Amino acid sequence: MTTAVRTARTRLSPEARRAQLLECALAAFAEHGVARATHSHVAERAGVSVPAVHSYFRTRDDLVAAVLSEVEAYLLEIVSSSLGGKKSVPEALRALAVNFSRDARNKPDMMKVWLDWSTGVRADVWPRYMDLLERLHGIAQKLLERGKREGVIPPALNAKAAARVYLGGGHTVALMQFSGAGRREFDAVVDHLVRNAMGLGLGEPLPE
């Protein structure tokens, strides 16, 4: 059963109210799905009238766009911060998997909307997700290309294909966290993802 946010009726600035409604919208989309969540669901969670939600997100398209912008910004940030910087290639690859698992616990609504969006192949929002996916693949591919230059990844590895497979594993990691998988199982999957992405066999030691 949906629980309204009791502090919603407190007088807030327009910026604070919009942020609060957007947080409620993310939760509503996580519960009902990108294709089914409505202004009414958001209003119920926020404890405000439906017209109040419409005053910030005029149409359902506006509401969907705002929620997906939040998810898009989150994915770009977590992938960029995890795979970027001066970390070694295996450290970076492992960091993203660990961060996805962490956020499945700490930001479940964000992760659920991402998972739902990623499967909406017949929805109007699908082209936007495909564009985002290309950007995320590009970030991972850049890391793998660095690994090839550093000699820790075989020259023959197809970095673009490996990036696609590796990021696809993010779904698996998130779903494992939601299903309550144990630490040993999680570590085994992450190790497998890192090795596959780097073109390494199970018996080969990971480079430092």
Side-chain angles (χ1 to χ4, degrees):
M1 182 179 296
T2 301
T3 302
V5 178
R6 298 305 180 187
T7 58
R9 294 175 183 173
T10 303
R11 182 174 295 277
L12 300 173
S13 68
E15 293 80 10
R17 177 67 76 195
R18 186 182 188 281
Q20 181 223 26
L21 292 176
L22 191 53
E23 181 179 356
C24 291
L26 192 64
F29 275 58
E31 179 180 356
H32 299 284
V34 175
R36 296 173 296 280
T38 66
H39 286 72
S40 296
H41 293 134
V42 178
E44 181 181 2
R45 283 184 171 276
V48 300
S49 67
V50 174
V53 181
H54 277 283
S55 68
Y56 287 88
F57 307 101
R58 189 172 62 85
T59 66
R60 187 175 184 280
D61 285 345
D62 293 336
L63 183 63
V64 171
V67 170
L68 295 187
S69 290
E70 289 292 297
V71 178
E72 184 175 53
Y74 160 75
L75 288 172
L76 287 169
E77 192 282 328
I78 192 174
V79 173
S80 296
S81 62
S82 298
L83 301 186
K86 297 181 179 181
K87 297 184 289 290
S88 71
V89 173
E91 285 175 338
L93 293 170
R94 182 173 292 276
L96 181 57
V98 170
N99 289 339
F100 271 143
S101 175
R102 175 204 65 201
D103 285 353
R105 298 190 305 271
N106 299 337
K107 300 179 180 180
D109 290 342
M110 186 75 74
M111 301 296 280
K112 288 176 182 178
V113 176
W114 164 48
L115 293 173
D116 183 56
W117 185 16
S118 71
T119 61
V121 295
R122 293 185 178 87
D124 293 339
V125 296
W126 181 246
R128 178 174 179 177
Y129 185 73
M130 293 304 293
D131 288 342
L132 170 61
L133 206 55
E134 283 299 311
R135 296 171 68 185
L136 298 176
H137 288 158
I139 296 169
Q141 182 178 349
K142 184 177 179 181
L143 174 71
L144 298 179
E145 294 288 2
R146 172 164 74 85
K148 293 170 73 172
R149 292 193 303 271
E150 293 175 351
V152 297
I153 290 178
L157 180 82
N158 185 320
K160 184 174 183 178
R164 288 178 179 274
V165 173
Y166 168 73
L167 284 177
H171 287 76
T172 300
V173 168
L175 291 172
M176 286 178 65
Q177 187 62 56
F178 286 131
S179 67
R183 171 56 55 183
R184 181 176 297 181
E185 184 180 1
F186 172 76
D187 288 343
V189 169
V190 171
D191 183 72
H192 193 71
L193 286 173
V194 172
R195 289 179 181 279
N196 275 355
M198 297 182 65
L200 301 176
L202 292 179
E204 297 178 70
L206 287 172
E208 297 295 333

